[in-house]
């Protein structure tokens, strides 16, 4: 990949839209701007970061290709650190392609995937954490994930890592002072374990604690609804999503496939799956549906076991509870609008740790609490209070863990009274 040529890409997603953006970056940008653009006002001086109104004109035919707003962002104050030209044209794919081809004819090369970010990184405009944050932000599925990647993009993670580095360099200075002063000079008063090392270890640990939550912020929480036929699973999915996604029917065994729908609770997305009712299958189709349920349950972050409190508990209920006893379970006691035939304390085999809540899928009672409970079961309060500074990237997590191990080793060797060289290494 060369870095001295001028690249071009259509920056907006493919398909038709009101506005499309074409982006050019490289040393030829300013010259190309002059060749392709005819301003409405006769004379313009291409001030940096200023929008100009005019036409894109084909050099070969003199034909007007589109009426646009154009801006030139001169280096180094641009995203890539090079001269960048941005053309806001109309979002018709044919128009965008024509302008794109015109730019190729003027000497641009189509950008490779991620090449604008790569240039921004190589020119020192963004650090690696910020480049990764950009990708994460574009892919983010929840408000929380967006907020976290924005923090990272603004350099919050990079600054925290820089601070950790300062702490470790300071700690090292303390430890090495112990090596250098031992012989003839009286060593300065040095605490056994430099406080910087303890502080760095603590801050690093807090960062690492955010990783499990970050996974949920990025991918969403997978919650699977299970229960025997007619417990109200489809009604629950419909009420939680506010849409009629699943068929509600008194005939047991209606849902054969599984249906997934997404909801958002306090900025976290929950992927809810309604599954086939679990019972002795009556035919091959139902059997396949029930086999799928077990697969879904194995991948769930939270299993919502729905029980019908208006009817006595059965062996089917017990089997479902038994098979999910190692999962993160919420027992939702449904049809609480009807007289109940048993009490929440009387559910046999339900693990102590399971969440319990009375709801009515049909009338909506308890559903807000249920949504909150789903998030609370997976994301701890500590993880929620991270001010957006979270570690969401596996590479970052591994690097922090490695650092944490080295700090641990250094503390250990000081603790054991080994000579300071060991901790320094
Ligand atoms: P599924 O087989 O588990 O998906 O159950 P459905 O959602 O199809 O519901 C079975 C029946 O129970 C339907 O007639 C629903 O209207 C009824 N039902 C579901 N939830 C409630 C509830 O909270 N209260 C009452 N009274 N009926 C409910």
């Amino acid at each position: 990949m060369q870095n001295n040529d001028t690249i071009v890409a259509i920056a907006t997603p493919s398909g038709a839209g009101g506005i499309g953006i074409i982006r050019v970056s490289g040393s030829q940008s300013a010259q190309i701007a002059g060749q392709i653009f005819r301003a409405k006002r006769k004379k313009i001086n291409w001030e940096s970061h200023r929008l100009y109104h005019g036409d894109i004109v084909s050099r070969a035919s003199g034909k007007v290709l589109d009426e646009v707003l154009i801006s030139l962002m001169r280096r180094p104050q641009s995203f890539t650190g090079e001269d960048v030209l941005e053309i806001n044209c109309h979002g018709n794919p044919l128009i965008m392609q024509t302008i794109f081809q015109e730019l190729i004819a003027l000497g641009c090369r189509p950008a490779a995937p991620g090449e604008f970010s790569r240039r921004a990184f190589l020119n020192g405009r963004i650090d690696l954490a910020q480049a990764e944050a950009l990708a994460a932000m574009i892919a983010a599925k929840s408000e929380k994930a967006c907020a976290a990647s924005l923090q990272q993009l603004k350099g919050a993670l990079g600054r925290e890592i820089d601070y950790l580095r300062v702490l470790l360099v300071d700690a090292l200075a303390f430890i090495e002072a112990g090596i250098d002063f031992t012989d003839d000079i009286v060593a300065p008063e040095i605490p056994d374990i430099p406080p910087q090392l303890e502080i760095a270890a603590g801050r690093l640990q807090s960062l690492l604690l955010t990783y499990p939550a970050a996974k949920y912020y990025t991918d969403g929480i997978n919650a699977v609804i299970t229960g025997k036929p007619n417990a109200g699973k489809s009604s629950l999915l419909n009420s939680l999503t506010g849409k009629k996604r699943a068929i509600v029917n008194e005939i047991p065994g209606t849902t054969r496939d599984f249906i997934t729908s997404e909801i958002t609770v306090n900025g976290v997305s929950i992927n809810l799956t309604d599954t086939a009712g679990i019972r002795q299958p009556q035919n091959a189709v139902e059997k396949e549906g029930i086999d799928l349920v077990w697969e879904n349950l194995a991948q769930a972050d939270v299993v919502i076991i729905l029980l019908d409190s208006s009817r006595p508990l059965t062996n089917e209920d017990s089997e479902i509870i038994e098979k999910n006893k190692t999962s993160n379970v919420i027992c939702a006691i449904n049809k609480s609008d009807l007289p109940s035939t048993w009490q929440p304390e009387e559910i046999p085999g339900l693990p102590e740790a399971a969440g319990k809540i009375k709801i009515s899928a049909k009338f909506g009672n308890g559903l807000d609490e249920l949504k909150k409970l789903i998030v609370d079961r997976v994301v701890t309060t500590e993880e929620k209070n991270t001010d957006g500074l979270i570690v969401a990237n596996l590479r970052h997590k591994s690097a922090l863990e490695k650092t944490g191990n080295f700090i641990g080793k250094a503390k250990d060797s000081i603790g054991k009274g080994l000579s300071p060289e060991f901790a320094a290494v």
Side-chain angles (χ1 to χ4, degrees), residues 299-329:
Q299 285 159 24
D301 300 312
V302 184
V303 173
I304 303 169
I305 300 180
L306 208 57
L307 301 174
D308 179 348
S309 62
S310 69
R311 291 164 198 239
L313 291 167
T314 63
N315 287 340
E316 286 157 338
D317 293 314
S318 305
E319 189 200 355
I320 295 166
I321 291 171
E322 171 62 26
K323 286 208 167 151
N324 286 292
K325 68 175 183 224
T326 56
S327 305
N328 186 355
V329 165

PDB file of all heavy atoms in Angstrom, residues 299-329:
ATOM      1  N   GLN A 299     -26.484 -21.132  24.926  1.00  0.00           N
ATOM      2  CA  GLN A 299     -25.752 -19.903  24.592  1.00  0.00           C
ATOM      3  C   GLN A 299     -26.304 -18.656  25.275  1.00  0.00           C
ATOM      4  O   GLN A 299     -25.847 -17.541  25.015  1.00  0.00           O
ATOM      5  CB  GLN A 299     -25.803 -19.694  23.077  1.00  0.00           C
ATOM      6  CG  GLN A 299     -24.872 -20.642  22.356  1.00  0.00           C
ATOM      7  CD  GLN A 299     -25.256 -20.816  20.911  1.00  0.00           C
ATOM      8  OE1 GLN A 299     -25.902 -19.960  20.337  1.00  0.00           O
ATOM      9  NE2 GLN A 299     -24.853 -21.933  20.342  1.00  0.00           N
ATOM     10  N   ALA A 300     -27.283 -18.847  26.157  1.00  0.00           N
ATOM     11  CA  ALA A 300     -27.943 -17.679  26.746  1.00  0.00           C
ATOM     12  C   ALA A 300     -27.106 -17.072  27.870  1.00  0.00           C
ATOM     13  O   ALA A 300     -26.426 -17.783  28.588  1.00  0.00           O
ATOM     14  CB  ALA A 300     -29.307 -18.106  27.284  1.00  0.00           C
ATOM     15  N   ASP A 301     -27.164 -15.739  27.993  1.00  0.00           N
ATOM     16  CA  ASP A 301     -26.557 -15.083  29.148  1.00  0.00           C
ATOM     17  C   ASP A 301     -27.525 -15.139  30.323  1.00  0.00           C
ATOM     18  O   ASP A 301     -27.114 -15.204  31.470  1.00  0.00           O
ATOM     19  CB  ASP A 301     -26.236 -13.614  28.827  1.00  0.00           C
ATOM     20  CG  ASP A 301     -25.261 -13.483  27.668  1.00  0.00           C
ATOM     21  OD1 ASP A 301     -24.234 -14.190  27.696  1.00  0.00           O
ATOM     22  OD2 ASP A 301     -25.511 -12.697  26.736  1.00  0.00           O
ATOM     23  N   VAL A 302     -28.806 -15.089  30.007  1.00  0.00           N
ATOM     24  CA  VAL A 302     -29.851 -15.196  31.031  1.00  0.00           C
ATOM     25  C   VAL A 302     -30.950 -16.104  30.488  1.00  0.00           C
ATOM     26  O   VAL A 302     -31.348 -15.978  29.337  1.00  0.00           O
ATOM     27  CB  VAL A 302     -30.527 -13.827  31.313  1.00  0.00           C
ATOM     28  CG1 VAL A 302     -31.534 -13.955  32.440  1.00  0.00           C
ATOM     29  CG2 VAL A 302     -29.522 -12.760  31.633  1.00  0.00           C
ATOM     30  N   VAL A 303     -31.410 -17.036  31.334  1.00  0.00           N
ATOM     31  CA  VAL A 303     -32.528 -17.899  30.945  1.00  0.00           C
ATOM     32  C   VAL A 303     -33.751 -17.460  31.750  1.00  0.00           C
ATOM     33  O   VAL A 303     -33.704 -17.389  32.979  1.00  0.00           O
ATOM     34  CB  VAL A 303     -32.198 -19.375  31.260  1.00  0.00           C
ATOM     35  CG1 VAL A 303     -33.425 -20.257  31.031  1.00  0.00           C
ATOM     36  CG2 VAL A 303     -31.023 -19.847  30.413  1.00  0.00           C
ATOM     37  N   ILE A 304     -34.814 -17.096  31.031  1.00  0.00           N
ATOM     38  CA  ILE A 304     -36.052 -16.723  31.728  1.00  0.00           C
ATOM     39  C   ILE A 304     -36.976 -17.934  31.704  1.00  0.00           C
ATOM     40  O   ILE A 304     -37.455 -18.330  30.640  1.00  0.00           O
ATOM     41  CB  ILE A 304     -36.735 -15.524  31.043  1.00  0.00           C
ATOM     42  CG1 ILE A 304     -35.756 -14.342  30.984  1.00  0.00           C
ATOM     43  CG2 ILE A 304     -38.016 -15.140  31.758  1.00  0.00           C
ATOM     44  CD1 ILE A 304     -36.237 -13.194  30.105  1.00  0.00           C
ATOM     45  N   ILE A 305     -37.155 -18.542  32.863  1.00  0.00           N
ATOM     46  CA  ILE A 305     -38.069 -19.693  32.928  1.00  0.00           C
ATOM     47  C   ILE A 305     -39.446 -19.162  33.298  1.00  0.00           C
ATOM     48  O   ILE A 305     -39.631 -18.529  34.331  1.00  0.00           O
ATOM     49  CB  ILE A 305     -37.606 -20.731  33.971  1.00  0.00           C
ATOM     50  CG1 ILE A 305     -36.207 -21.252  33.609  1.00  0.00           C
ATOM     51  CG2 ILE A 305     -38.608 -21.875  34.073  1.00  0.00           C
ATOM     52  CD1 ILE A 305     -35.678 -22.286  34.582  1.00  0.00           C
ATOM     53  N   LEU A 306     -40.375 -19.398  32.394  1.00  0.00           N
ATOM     54  CA  LEU A 306     -41.720 -18.872  32.608  1.00  0.00           C
ATOM     55  C   LEU A 306     -42.598 -19.975  33.205  1.00  0.00           C
ATOM     56  O   LEU A 306     -42.675 -21.075  32.652  1.00  0.00           O
ATOM     57  CB  LEU A 306     -42.270 -18.426  31.249  1.00  0.00           C
ATOM     58  CG  LEU A 306     -43.293 -17.319  31.267  1.00  0.00           C
ATOM     59  CD1 LEU A 306     -42.742 -16.086  31.953  1.00  0.00           C
ATOM     60  CD2 LEU A 306     -43.708 -16.963  29.848  1.00  0.00           C
ATOM     61  N   LEU A 307     -43.225 -19.663  34.348  1.00  0.00           N
ATOM     62  CA  LEU A 307     -44.118 -20.636  34.974  1.00  0.00           C
ATOM     63  C   LEU A 307     -45.520 -20.032  35.021  1.00  0.00           C
ATOM     64  O   LEU A 307     -45.669 -18.825  35.215  1.00  0.00           O
ATOM     65  CB  LEU A 307     -43.645 -20.948  36.400  1.00  0.00           C
ATOM     66  CG  LEU A 307     -42.220 -21.515  36.541  1.00  0.00           C
ATOM     67  CD1 LEU A 307     -41.852 -21.639  38.016  1.00  0.00           C
ATOM     68  CD2 LEU A 307     -42.085 -22.860  35.841  1.00  0.00           C
ATOM     69  N   ASP A 308     -46.518 -20.876  34.848  1.00  0.00           N
ATOM     70  CA  ASP A 308     -47.916 -20.433  34.867  1.00  0.00           C
ATOM     71  C   ASP A 308     -48.457 -20.628  36.283  1.00  0.00           C
ATOM     72  O   ASP A 308     -48.654 -21.766  36.722  1.00  0.00           O
ATOM     73  CB  ASP A 308     -48.693 -21.286  33.835  1.00  0.00           C
ATOM     74  CG  ASP A 308     -50.169 -20.933  33.777  1.00  0.00           C
ATOM     75  OD1 ASP A 308     -50.648 -20.208  34.679  1.00  0.00           O
ATOM     76  OD2 ASP A 308     -50.846 -21.389  32.826  1.00  0.00           O
ATOM     77  N   SER A 309     -48.678 -19.504  36.995  1.00  0.00           N
ATOM     78  CA  SER A 309     -49.076 -19.650  38.404  1.00  0.00           C
ATOM     79  C   SER A 309     -50.566 -19.969  38.559  1.00  0.00           C
ATOM     80  O   SER A 309     -51.031 -20.261  39.646  1.00  0.00           O
ATOM     81  CB  SER A 309     -48.734 -18.381  39.182  1.00  0.00           C
ATOM     82  OG  SER A 309     -49.464 -17.287  38.658  1.00  0.00           O
ATOM     83  N   SER A 310     -51.303 -19.930  37.434  1.00  0.00           N
ATOM     84  CA  SER A 310     -52.734 -20.211  37.549  1.00  0.00           C
ATOM     85  C   SER A 310     -53.015 -21.716  37.512  1.00  0.00           C
ATOM     86  O   SER A 310     -54.131 -22.145  37.745  1.00  0.00           O
ATOM     87  CB  SER A 310     -53.501 -19.496  36.432  1.00  0.00           C
ATOM     88  OG  SER A 310     -53.204 -20.096  35.174  1.00  0.00           O
ATOM     89  N   ARG A 311     -52.003 -22.496  37.186  1.00  0.00           N
ATOM     90  CA  ARG A 311     -52.160 -23.951  37.154  1.00  0.00           C
ATOM     91  C   ARG A 311     -51.076 -24.611  37.991  1.00  0.00           C
ATOM     92  O   ARG A 311     -49.986 -24.054  38.116  1.00  0.00           O
ATOM     93  CB  ARG A 311     -52.028 -24.487  35.737  1.00  0.00           C
ATOM     94  CG  ARG A 311     -53.193 -24.087  34.867  1.00  0.00           C
ATOM     95  CD  ARG A 311     -52.856 -24.298  33.427  1.00  0.00           C
ATOM     96  NE  ARG A 311     -53.784 -23.539  32.607  1.00  0.00           N
ATOM     97  CZ  ARG A 311     -54.578 -24.105  31.703  1.00  0.00           C
ATOM     98  NH1 ARG A 311     -54.519 -25.408  31.475  1.00  0.00           N
ATOM     99  NH2 ARG A 311     -55.398 -23.364  30.997  1.00  0.00           N
ATOM    100  N   PRO A 312     -51.334 -25.798  38.510  1.00  0.00           N
ATOM    101  CA  PRO A 312     -50.333 -26.473  39.328  1.00  0.00           C
ATOM    102  C   PRO A 312     -49.050 -26.720  38.541  1.00  0.00           C
ATOM    103  O   PRO A 312     -49.089 -26.894  37.325  1.00  0.00           O
ATOM    104  CB  PRO A 312     -50.994 -27.807  39.690  1.00  0.00           C
ATOM    105  CG  PRO A 312     -52.443 -27.601  39.479  1.00  0.00           C
ATOM    106  CD  PRO A 312     -52.585 -26.563  38.402  1.00  0.00           C
ATOM    107  N   LEU A 313     -47.930 -26.726  39.253  1.00  0.00           N
ATOM    108  CA  LEU A 313     -46.644 -27.019  38.619  1.00  0.00           C
ATOM    109  C   LEU A 313     -46.638 -28.481  38.176  1.00  0.00           C
ATOM    110  O   LEU A 313     -47.263 -29.330  38.801  1.00  0.00           O
ATOM    111  CB  LEU A 313     -45.503 -26.758  39.603  1.00  0.00           C
ATOM    112  CG  LEU A 313     -45.272 -25.288  39.943  1.00  0.00           C
ATOM    113  CD1 LEU A 313     -44.338 -25.150  41.150  1.00  0.00           C
ATOM    114  CD2 LEU A 313     -44.706 -24.532  38.749  1.00  0.00           C
ATOM    115  N   THR A 314     -45.931 -28.780  37.089  1.00  0.00           N
ATOM    116  CA  THR A 314     -45.908 -30.147  36.554  1.00  0.00           C
ATOM    117  C   THR A 314     -44.473 -30.655  36.431  1.00  0.00           C
ATOM    118  O   THR A 314     -43.532 -29.920  36.674  1.00  0.00           O
ATOM    119  CB  THR A 314     -46.525 -30.175  35.146  1.00  0.00           C
ATOM    120  OG1 THR A 314     -45.699 -29.362  34.303  1.00  0.00           O
ATOM    121  CG2 THR A 314     -47.946 -29.664  35.126  1.00  0.00           C
ATOM    122  N   ASN A 315     -44.364 -31.922  36.012  1.00  0.00           N
ATOM    123  CA  ASN A 315     -43.032 -32.502  35.789  1.00  0.00           C
ATOM    124  C   ASN A 315     -42.278 -31.758  34.701  1.00  0.00           C
ATOM    125  O   ASN A 315     -41.056 -31.672  34.730  1.00  0.00           O
ATOM    126  CB  ASN A 315     -43.158 -33.967  35.345  1.00  0.00           C
ATOM    127  CG  ASN A 315     -43.566 -34.823  36.516  1.00  0.00           C
ATOM    128  OD1 ASN A 315     -43.391 -34.402  37.663  1.00  0.00           O
ATOM    129  ND2 ASN A 315     -44.132 -35.994  36.225  1.00  0.00           N
ATOM    130  N   GLU A 316     -43.020 -31.209  33.711  1.00  0.00           N
ATOM    131  CA  GLU A 316     -42.358 -30.451  32.632  1.00  0.00           C
ATOM    132  C   GLU A 316     -41.652 -29.234  33.216  1.00  0.00           C
ATOM    133  O   GLU A 316     -40.506 -28.943  32.872  1.00  0.00           O
ATOM    134  CB  GLU A 316     -43.387 -30.004  31.588  1.00  0.00           C
ATOM    135  CG  GLU A 316     -43.865 -31.146  30.713  1.00  0.00           C
ATOM    136  CD  GLU A 316     -45.224 -30.879  30.090  1.00  0.00           C
ATOM    137  OE1 GLU A 316     -45.982 -30.031  30.620  1.00  0.00           O
ATOM    138  OE2 GLU A 316     -45.546 -31.531  29.080  1.00  0.00           O
ATOM    139  N   ASP A 317     -42.334 -28.540  34.164  1.00  0.00           N
ATOM    140  CA  ASP A 317     -41.700 -27.379  34.814  1.00  0.00           C
ATOM    141  C   ASP A 317     -40.434 -27.827  35.535  1.00  0.00           C
ATOM    142  O   ASP A 317     -39.388 -27.186  35.411  1.00  0.00           O
ATOM    143  CB  ASP A 317     -42.663 -26.735  35.826  1.00  0.00           C
ATOM    144  CG  ASP A 317     -43.870 -26.102  35.148  1.00  0.00           C
ATOM    145  OD1 ASP A 317     -43.660 -25.391  34.141  1.00  0.00           O
ATOM    146  OD2 ASP A 317     -45.004 -26.317  35.618  1.00  0.00           O
ATOM    147  N   SER A 318     -40.539 -28.930  36.273  1.00  0.00           N
ATOM    148  CA  SER A 318     -39.381 -29.404  37.043  1.00  0.00           C
ATOM    149  C   SER A 318     -38.231 -29.751  36.125  1.00  0.00           C
ATOM    150  O   SER A 318     -37.074 -29.459  36.425  1.00  0.00           O
ATOM    151  CB  SER A 318     -39.735 -30.649  37.861  1.00  0.00           C
ATOM    152  OG  SER A 318     -40.838 -30.352  38.655  1.00  0.00           O
ATOM    153  N   GLU A 319     -38.557 -30.385  34.978  1.00  0.00           N
ATOM    154  CA  GLU A 319     -37.485 -30.771  34.046  1.00  0.00           C
ATOM    155  C   GLU A 319     -36.757 -29.525  33.536  1.00  0.00           C
ATOM    156  O   GLU A 319     -35.522 -29.498  33.449  1.00  0.00           O
ATOM    157  CB  GLU A 319     -38.088 -31.534  32.852  1.00  0.00           C
ATOM    158  CG  GLU A 319     -37.012 -32.151  31.975  1.00  0.00           C
ATOM    159  CD  GLU A 319     -37.511 -32.495  30.561  1.00  0.00           C
ATOM    160  OE1 GLU A 319     -38.729 -32.348  30.286  1.00  0.00           O
ATOM    161  OE2 GLU A 319     -36.671 -32.888  29.741  1.00  0.00           O
ATOM    162  N   ILE A 320     -37.522 -28.485  33.210  1.00  0.00           N
ATOM    163  CA  ILE A 320     -36.904 -27.245  32.694  1.00  0.00           C
ATOM    164  C   ILE A 320     -36.008 -26.619  33.751  1.00  0.00           C
ATOM    165  O   ILE A 320     -34.881 -26.209  33.476  1.00  0.00           O
ATOM    166  CB  ILE A 320     -38.007 -26.256  32.238  1.00  0.00           C
ATOM    167  CG1 ILE A 320     -38.757 -26.841  31.041  1.00  0.00           C
ATOM    168  CG2 ILE A 320     -37.409 -24.905  31.863  1.00  0.00           C
ATOM    169  CD1 ILE A 320     -40.052 -26.143  30.712  1.00  0.00           C
ATOM    170  N   ILE A 321     -36.508 -26.589  34.995  1.00  0.00           N
ATOM    171  CA  ILE A 321     -35.708 -25.999  36.090  1.00  0.00           C
ATOM    172  C   ILE A 321     -34.430 -26.817  36.281  1.00  0.00           C
ATOM    173  O   ILE A 321     -33.333 -26.268  36.362  1.00  0.00           O
ATOM    174  CB  ILE A 321     -36.530 -25.948  37.400  1.00  0.00           C
ATOM    175  CG1 ILE A 321     -37.650 -24.917  37.232  1.00  0.00           C
ATOM    176  CG2 ILE A 321     -35.652 -25.620  38.596  1.00  0.00           C
ATOM    177  CD1 ILE A 321     -38.664 -24.897  38.344  1.00  0.00           C
ATOM    178  N   GLU A 322     -34.585 -28.152  36.297  1.00  0.00           N
ATOM    179  CA  GLU A 322     -33.442 -29.042  36.510  1.00  0.00           C
ATOM    180  C   GLU A 322     -32.383 -28.833  35.418  1.00  0.00           C
ATOM    181  O   GLU A 322     -31.209 -28.685  35.714  1.00  0.00           O
ATOM    182  CB  GLU A 322     -33.958 -30.491  36.522  1.00  0.00           C
ATOM    183  CG  GLU A 322     -32.899 -31.577  36.521  1.00  0.00           C
ATOM    184  CD  GLU A 322     -32.006 -31.550  37.753  1.00  0.00           C
ATOM    185  OE1 GLU A 322     -32.460 -31.059  38.809  1.00  0.00           O
ATOM    186  OE2 GLU A 322     -30.834 -31.986  37.629  1.00  0.00           O
ATOM    187  N   LYS A 323     -32.839 -28.781  34.175  1.00  0.00           N
ATOM    188  CA  LYS A 323     -31.878 -28.681  33.070  1.00  0.00           C
ATOM    189  C   LYS A 323     -31.174 -27.334  33.006  1.00  0.00           C
ATOM    190  O   LYS A 323     -30.160 -27.195  32.330  1.00  0.00           O
ATOM    191  CB  LYS A 323     -32.583 -28.950  31.733  1.00  0.00           C
ATOM    192  CG  LYS A 323     -32.903 -30.418  31.560  1.00  0.00           C
ATOM    193  CD  LYS A 323     -32.930 -30.799  30.108  1.00  0.00           C
ATOM    194  CE  LYS A 323     -32.934 -32.308  29.972  1.00  0.00           C
ATOM    195  NZ  LYS A 323     -33.590 -32.787  28.785  1.00  0.00           N
ATOM    196  N   ASN A 324     -31.717 -26.304  33.668  1.00  0.00           N
ATOM    197  CA  ASN A 324     -31.104 -24.973  33.608  1.00  0.00           C
ATOM    198  C   ASN A 324     -30.457 -24.584  34.923  1.00  0.00           C
ATOM    199  O   ASN A 324     -30.124 -23.414  35.112  1.00  0.00           O
ATOM    200  CB  ASN A 324     -32.159 -23.930  33.243  1.00  0.00           C
ATOM    201  CG  ASN A 324     -32.530 -24.020  31.785  1.00  0.00           C
ATOM    202  OD1 ASN A 324     -31.729 -23.713  30.914  1.00  0.00           O
ATOM    203  ND2 ASN A 324     -33.734 -24.499  31.522  1.00  0.00           N
ATOM    204  N   LYS A 325     -30.260 -25.571  35.808  1.00  0.00           N
ATOM    205  CA  LYS A 325     -29.855 -25.149  37.154  1.00  0.00           C
ATOM    206  C   LYS A 325     -28.454 -24.545  37.213  1.00  0.00           C
ATOM    207  O   LYS A 325     -28.138 -23.836  38.153  1.00  0.00           O
ATOM    208  CB  LYS A 325     -30.039 -26.276  38.173  1.00  0.00           C
ATOM    209  CG  LYS A 325     -29.136 -27.439  38.007  1.00  0.00           C
ATOM    210  CD  LYS A 325     -29.360 -28.411  39.153  1.00  0.00           C
ATOM    211  CE  LYS A 325     -28.362 -29.536  38.953  1.00  0.00           C
ATOM    212  NZ  LYS A 325     -28.890 -30.834  39.154  1.00  0.00           N
ATOM    213  N   THR A 326     -27.626 -24.780  36.184  1.00  0.00           N
ATOM    214  CA  THR A 326     -26.296 -24.150  36.200  1.00  0.00           C
ATOM    215  C   THR A 326     -26.282 -22.814  35.457  1.00  0.00           C
ATOM    216  O   THR A 326     -25.258 -22.146  35.392  1.00  0.00           O
ATOM    217  CB  THR A 326     -25.247 -25.076  35.550  1.00  0.00           C
ATOM    218  OG1 THR A 326     -25.679 -25.382  34.246  1.00  0.00           O
ATOM    219  CG2 THR A 326     -25.030 -26.338  36.354  1.00  0.00           C
ATOM    220  N   SER A 327     -27.420 -22.425  34.901  1.00  0.00           N
ATOM    221  CA  SER A 327     -27.458 -21.161  34.141  1.00  0.00           C
ATOM    222  C   SER A 327     -27.811 -19.987  35.047  1.00  0.00           C
ATOM    223  O   SER A 327     -28.189 -20.171  36.198  1.00  0.00           O
ATOM    224  CB  SER A 327     -28.492 -21.229  33.030  1.00  0.00           C
ATOM    225  OG  SER A 327     -28.243 -22.331  32.215  1.00  0.00           O
ATOM    226  N   ASN A 328     -27.695 -18.797  34.478  1.00  0.00           N
ATOM    227  CA  ASN A 328     -28.121 -17.580  35.158  1.00  0.00           C
ATOM    228  C   ASN A 328     -29.634 -17.466  34.920  1.00  0.00           C
ATOM    229  O   ASN A 328     -30.081 -17.091  33.849  1.00  0.00           O
ATOM    230  CB  ASN A 328     -27.366 -16.410  34.525  1.00  0.00           C
ATOM    231  CG  ASN A 328     -27.620 -15.106  35.242  1.00  0.00           C
ATOM    232  OD1 ASN A 328     -28.435 -15.046  36.169  1.00  0.00           O
ATOM    233  ND2 ASN A 328     -26.931 -14.070  34.809  1.00  0.00           N
ATOM    234  N   VAL A 329     -30.417 -17.840  35.939  1.00  0.00           N
ATOM    235  CA  VAL A 329     -31.864 -18.018  35.732  1.00  0.00           C
ATOM    236  C   VAL A 329     -32.688 -16.910  36.384  1.00  0.00           C
ATOM    237  O   VAL A 329     -32.391 -16.471  37.485  1.00  0.00           O
ATOM    238  CB  VAL A 329     -32.297 -19.392  36.312  1.00  0.00           C
ATOM    239  CG1 VAL A 329     -33.816 -19.474  36.458  1.00  0.00           C
ATOM    240  CG2 VAL A 329     -31.784 -20.516  35.448  1.00  0.00           C
TER     241      VAL A 329
END
